Amino acid sequence: MRRGVTLHDLLAAHFAETLADFFALADVAALASSARDFRHAPRLLLLTGGGTELIACHRRRLKPSRKRTTIPEALFISCLSARLRAISARHCEDFADATFRMLPSRCPSITSLDLGHCQKLKSTTVQALVVSYPALTTLNLDFCGLVTNASLKAVARLCPSLRSLSINQAHHNAHLLTSSPSTANQRRRRATFSDASVTAIARSCPLLASFSADCSKDISPDGIATLATNCPKLKTLSLRCSNGVSDESIDAIAESCPSLVSFDVDSTNITSIESLARGCPSLTNVNVANCIDITDVSITAVAEHCPSLTSLNVSYCKNINDTLIIAVATNCVKLQRFKAVGAHITDASITAIAEHCPSLRTLDLMFCESLTDTSIIAIATRCVKLAELDTTGCIELTDAAIRKIADCCPLLKTLKIAFCDSISYTAIEEILDSNDGLNLVHSAPDENGEIPTVDLPESESDSDSDISRGGANEYD
């Protein structure tokens, strides 16, 4: 993270310097002793980039039961200045539309704007903003329920230098929509845009390198094909849960976007990405989770043509087998993140990953019931950079496997072993005693016979991954 300093003396400079991840506020109360004003410690506004970027900081990945930290609107307004080039007001759900209307008069030189989850933002205000900011290169309107075709057409008409656009419209975890009245309103206030908007963006923004439109129900395969044809510089494309993804649109992307790096079509109806693997050899991230009928030929093509692959998610794909995963492991030795929830694979697959992919950091094998200690011990021995391991429901695993993981993987932060009935509470206690700070999720009964409550992992997704979600500068 670039060095951050506090605004208007709300926090001491040295406090901001030590905040390694300014979006994670879990320890803010403990750190507040170094702040000049404790009342504002949980409500962070940071200036970064030499005072040119304003970020309204919020806690990430809140559970539904937890109340989101809010930024005082008046405080945010007081921070606006002509020096700013980038503003992130993400999750400022209670900010009035009028607050965003004043941005051009206070901040005339904005090129990057993140207004995701700003539920009160109106379509007319988006149009007014792009009139004032023709040099915009990055725009995020995720979950802005009042965005319409008219506002997106204005973006297309007035922002020809746009390089990153995100218009995701519904969270893939449905339970989050009930966490608060404002998020619940997303069901009633879905953005209304269609092929007309996407076509306008595609034809007017040829420099577009990152496009995300998850859960967009009104974009057709023709709209996606038009986007691919007119935006050959695309590097990051996310269309999870979108109706417009088809095998034909995949072919258009493969033909027109040879520089594609990240491709996410989680929970769509595609059956083949063979042409994509052949046409986009620079792919590093492929997410086809929940694409139930994806063919084995597709995964073989990824293995053969995408040697730079670092992240692969094939969870709940019924055709996944050992032969495919061994091919991926053998050819994609840079693999860092692998997810195969519910896959019918054996120790042969995971042992191959252990042998060929020493940089592995995240491994999700939830409910891969045929796996035994053999493959997990191989991972522990050879993949010492492992930080996250999920073997929930891998019923054949025993104490030996998790002890080996805990002993050999010093970077391990998360270990999930719920419903692994052969793992004892004694082994779990030993691991927790010797691995301070480890997040260990289990369902083993303690010495009193009590079984802890286990929250099953959220629906399969890579949305929180830096690999799968391109940042503002990913295309640079």
Side-chain angles (χ1 to χ4, degrees):
M1 167 184 139
R2 284 169 293 188
R3 173 172 177 157
V5 295
T6 56
L7 193 60
H8 297 319
D9 281 336
L10 292 180
L11 297 174
H14 65 280
F15 169 57
E17 286 180 342
T18 59
L19 197 58
D21 180 356
F22 50 71
F23 283 106
L25 303 182
D27 298 323
V28 72
L31 294 171
S33 59
S34 60
R36 293 197 179 98
D37 189 341
F38 176 82
R39 290 173 302 145
H40 293 294
R43 307 183 182 112
L44 295 182
L45 281 168
L46 295 181
L47 277 176
T48 66
T52 62
E53 300 179 22
L54 176 64
I55 301 138
C57 299
H58 288 283
R59 186 181 182 86
R60 294 176 66 187
R61 303 178 67 187
L62 285 179
K63 295 182 179 179
S65 60
R66 300 188 66 169
K67 185 177 180 181
R68 182 178 294 280
T69 303
T70 56
I71 303 294
E73 193 165 1
L75 180 61
F76 176 83
I77 293 172
S78 72
C79 298
L80 302 177
S81 74
R83 293 188 62 193
L84 291 176
R85 299 294 182 270
I87 292 178
S88 174
R90 192 170 183 82
H91 288 297
C92 294
E93 299 171 355
D94 297 325
F95 281 17
D97 183 69
T99 297
F100 303 113
R101 280 192 169 270
M102 71 172 62
L103 291 181
S105 62
R106 299 285 192 93
C107 316
S109 303
I110 296 297
T111 59
S112 178
L113 195 56
D114 185 350
L115 302 178
H117 297 265
C118 294
Q119 287 291 307
K120 297 181 180 180
L121 180 68
K122 296 180 179 178
S123 180
T124 52
T125 300
V126 174
Q127 296 176 57
L129 289 173
V130 297
V131 167
S132 301
Y133 297 142
L136 269 181
T137 59
T138 301
L139 179 62
N140 189 311
L141 298 173
D142 290 350
F143 319 120
C144 294
L146 301 179
V147 172
T148 65
N149 270 329
S151 51
L152 291 181
K153 286 180 179 179
V155 171
R157 186 173 64 254
L158 298 167
C159 303
S161 299
L162 197 67
R163 300 175 73 182
S164 178
L165 177 64
S166 187
I167 49 175
N168 299 326
Q169 286 307 307
H171 203 287
H172 54 279
N173 289 325
H175 71 273
L176 291 181
L177 291 177
T178 61
S179 60
S180 68
S182 59
T183 50
N185 285 340
Q186 290 179 21
R187 287 195 183 101
R188 300 189 295 273
R189 298 194 306 183
R190 286 185 59 85
T192 55
F193 56 84
S194 61
D195 278 354
S197 302
V198 175
T199 298
I201 293 288
R203 291 175 176 170
S204 301
C205 305
L207 300 179
L208 198 67
S210 178
F211 181 76
S212 182
D214 295 348
C215 299
S216 300
K217 303 303 181 183
D218 298 319
I219 300 178
S220 73
D222 289 342
I224 293 174
T226 300
L227 177 74
T229 302
N230 289 274
C231 301
K233 296 182 181 294
L234 272 177
K235 288 188 175 182
T236 301
L237 183 61
S238 182
L239 297 166
R240 62 175 62 197
C241 303
S242 296
N243 293 344
V245 183
S246 67
D247 290 346
E248 291 74 23
S249 59
I250 298 299
D251 291 341
I253 296 167
E255 183 178 350
S256 303
C257 305
S259 300
L260 197 67
V261 172
S262 179
F263 181 69
D264 188 341
V265 287
D266 188 332
S267 303
T268 59
N269 294 322
I270 64 167
T271 61
S272 177
I273 58 169
E274 181 182 3
S275 61
L276 188 84
R278 294 178 181 275
C280 306
S282 298
L283 279 169
T284 60
N285 171 55
V286 174
N287 183 359
V288 290
N290 300 294
C291 298
I292 299 174
D293 295 316
I294 197 79
T295 63
D296 54 354
V297 175
S298 296
I299 306 304
T300 299
V302 170
E304 293 177 350
H305 299 284
C306 304
S308 298
L309 194 72
T310 59
S311 177
L312 177 64
N313 191 336
V314 290
S315 297
Y316 303 112
C317 298
K318 67 181 183 182
N319 294 317
I320 297 302
N321 56 53
D322 284 338
T323 301
L324 301 180
I325 302 309
I326 291 172
V328 169
T330 303
N331 293 285
C332 305
V333 297
K334 298 179 181 179
L335 198 65
Q336 297 179 19
R337 182 183 178 97
F338 179 68
K339 295 192 173 189
V341 177
H344 299 295
I345 56 178
T346 70
D347 286 337
S349 291
I350 306 308
T351 300
I353 290 176
E355 291 176 353
H356 298 285
C357 307
S359 298
L360 192 72
R361 300 177 187 276
T362 299
L363 184 60
D364 191 343
L365 303 171
M366 189 168 63
F367 298 117
C368 293
E369 297 181 350
S370 297
L371 299 181
T372 72
D373 288 354
T374 300
S375 57
I376 301 304
I377 290 174
I379 289 290
T381 304
R382 295 174 178 267
C383 302
V384 296
K385 296 180 181 179
L386 193 70
E388 300 178 34
L389 175 64
D390 190 342
T391 58
T392 300
C394 295
I395 56 178
E396 300 294 330
L397 299 187
T398 71
D399 294 352
I402 63 163
R403 283 191 171 116
K404 194 68 171 179
I405 286 287
D407 290 342
C408 298
C409 301
L411 303 180
L412 192 69
K413 296 180 179 179
T414 301
L415 177 61
K416 298 181 180 181
I417 52 174
F419 312 118
C420 298
D421 296 339
S422 297
I423 295 178
S424 69
Y425 187 74
T426 300
I428 290 169
E429 277 192 318
E430 291 175 4
I431 290 171
L432 289 174
D433 288 342
S434 58
N435 293 269
D436 188 36
L438 176 65
N439 174 27
L440 196 156
V441 179
H442 68 94
S443 57
D446 61 19
E447 62 272 11
N448 298 319
E450 295 183 2
I451 300 175
T453 300
V454 177
D455 293 327
L456 283 175
E458 298 172 356
S459 69
E460 186 57 37
S461 161
D462 285 334
S463 64
D464 56 327
S465 166
D466 293 333
I467 298 175
S468 65
R469 272 290 182 272
N473 297 320
E474 180 172 351
Y475 43 78
D476 288 341

